Amino acid sequence: MNTELEAALGAAHAAGEALRDGFGLRRQVRYKGEVDLVTEMDERAEEIIRETLLGAYPSYGMLAEEGGALRGEVDARWIVDPLDGTTNYAHGLPVFAVSIALEKAGEVVLGVVHDPMREETFVAERGNGTALNGEPIGVSRTDELVKALVVTGFPYDRDEVPAALDLFGRFSMLAQGMRRLGSAALDLCYVAAGRLDAYYERGIHAWDVAAGSLILQEAGGMITDYRGNPFEIERGELVVSNGALHPALVELTSEHLG
Ligand code: IPD
């Protein structure tokens, strides 16, 4: 196994164990915005990941949700969300994950998303496919929106919620069903595994989606922005599908932008 992957898996499992141990306990919550919160466990999990990864690769940079950006000496950085699904976690809802990606020369080359409650670990290395707990996975074959289970997320910025609800309404009338799980990393992995057929969201951060975007692509999925342009991790928006559904999705999302 690639040693970087080994380090990422070690970090994700150690952080996941800490999150599972702390799950359901009353947590101190701090607010980053009106509804955007952070628990002491986000910080603890990030510390575990930072120590593991920067201990093993001291010259690499890191972009992490709580600690921000740390410049490295080489053109490689870890992109980390120690707890994707913080709101779920804080409420005792067991839908959250640890997300770790490695980017080199501006390209994500490795992604690990670990769900400690279900003991599911999604792993992708560029060019090597995606595995869930060591078994290869792939996207669904659903080719009509009316048969598709579609997931989304809503922005923390309240001013953007009405527009997001409008688009949600349009999708609700055309898809088989809509879901809002509360973890972008798991949304991407579930499309990669064919459990969900499509996902779209705006107002998302690089750490929420860096690992999942590679996991999705290596599983045969497609990812773009709302207009169908190539996906960029810092762009803040994504449309994700099994490929077959993509034109129908982008028709709605691009129309939504006007
Ligand atoms: C959030 C989750 C959520 C998505 C938000 C993210 P966090 O991440 O991924 O599903 O809708 O946009 O910020 O804050 O729990 O790490």
Side-chain angles (χ1 to χ4, degrees), residues 10 14 16 23 26 28 35 69 74 79 83-84 117 131 139-140 143 145-148 158 167 181 198 215 234:
F23 182 70
R26 209 171 276 261
Q28 277 204 359
V35 288
V74 295
I79 304 176
L83 171 47
D84 183 55
M117 303 307 283
V139 294
S140 72
D143 58 1
L145 202 45
V146 69
K147 298 203 174 103
R158 297 280 208 213
L167 184 59
L181 303 181
I215 288 167
E234 315 252 12

Side-chain angles (χ1 to χ4, degrees), residues 49-92:
I49 295 168
R50 196 174 48 242
E51 278 169 11
T52 309
L53 295 181
L54 296 185
Y57 295 92
S59 61
Y60 288 15
M62 183 172 275
L63 174 68
E65 175 161 14
E66 310 311 332
L70 178 82
R71 256 184 110 80
E73 291 154 24
V74 295
D75 196 2
R77 63 170 178 167
W78 299 102
I79 304 176
V80 174
D81 191 342
L83 171 47
D84 183 55
T86 301
T87 306
N88 287 345
Y89 189 86
H91 284 262

Side-chain angles (χ1 to χ4, degrees), residues 179-195:
R179 297 290 182 267
R180 197 293 193 232
L181 303 181
S183 163
L186 290 178
D187 293 336
L188 280 155
C189 290
Y190 288 1
V191 178
R195 295 173 181 172

Side-chain angles (χ1 to χ4, degrees), residues 139-151 175-177 187 190-199 216 221-222 240-246 249:
V139 294
S140 72
R141 294 196 177 160
T142 310
D143 58 1
E144 287 175 85
L145 202 45
V146 69
K147 298 203 174 103
L149 191 55
V150 180
V151 71
Q176 182 182 63
D187 293 336
Y190 288 1
V191 178
R195 295 173 181 172
L196 295 167
D197 301 297
Y199 164 45
L216 179 273
M222 184 176 267
V240 169
S241 79
N242 59 3
L245 290 166
H246 221 80
L249 300 168

Side-chain angles (χ1 to χ4, degrees), residues 150-162:
V150 180
V151 71
T152 190
F154 298 109
Y156 284 126
D157 182 346
R158 297 280 208 213
D159 292 342
E160 305 208 356
V161 171

Side-chain angles (χ1 to χ4, degrees), residues 81-167:
D81 191 342
L83 171 47
D84 183 55
T86 301
T87 306
N88 287 345
Y89 189 86
H91 284 262
L93 186 66
V95 182
F96 58 87
V98 180
S99 173
I100 300 177
L102 176 61
E103 186 190 63
K104 285 187 170 173
E107 187 178 70
V108 176
V109 293
L110 184 161
V112 171
V113 171
H114 175 58
D115 171 351
M117 303 307 283
R118 264 160 289 278
E119 296 190 349
E120 288 192 328
T121 310
F122 299 83
V123 172
E125 284 179 280
R126 190 164 286 279
N128 271 342
T130 294
L132 164 54
N133 291 349
E135 296 297 322
I137 54 167
V139 294
S140 72
R141 294 196 177 160
T142 310
D143 58 1
E144 287 175 85
L145 202 45
V146 69
K147 298 203 174 103
L149 191 55
V150 180
V151 71
T152 190
F154 298 109
Y156 284 126
D157 182 346
R158 297 280 208 213
D159 292 342
E160 305 208 356
V161 171
L165 286 176
D166 182 60
L167 184 59

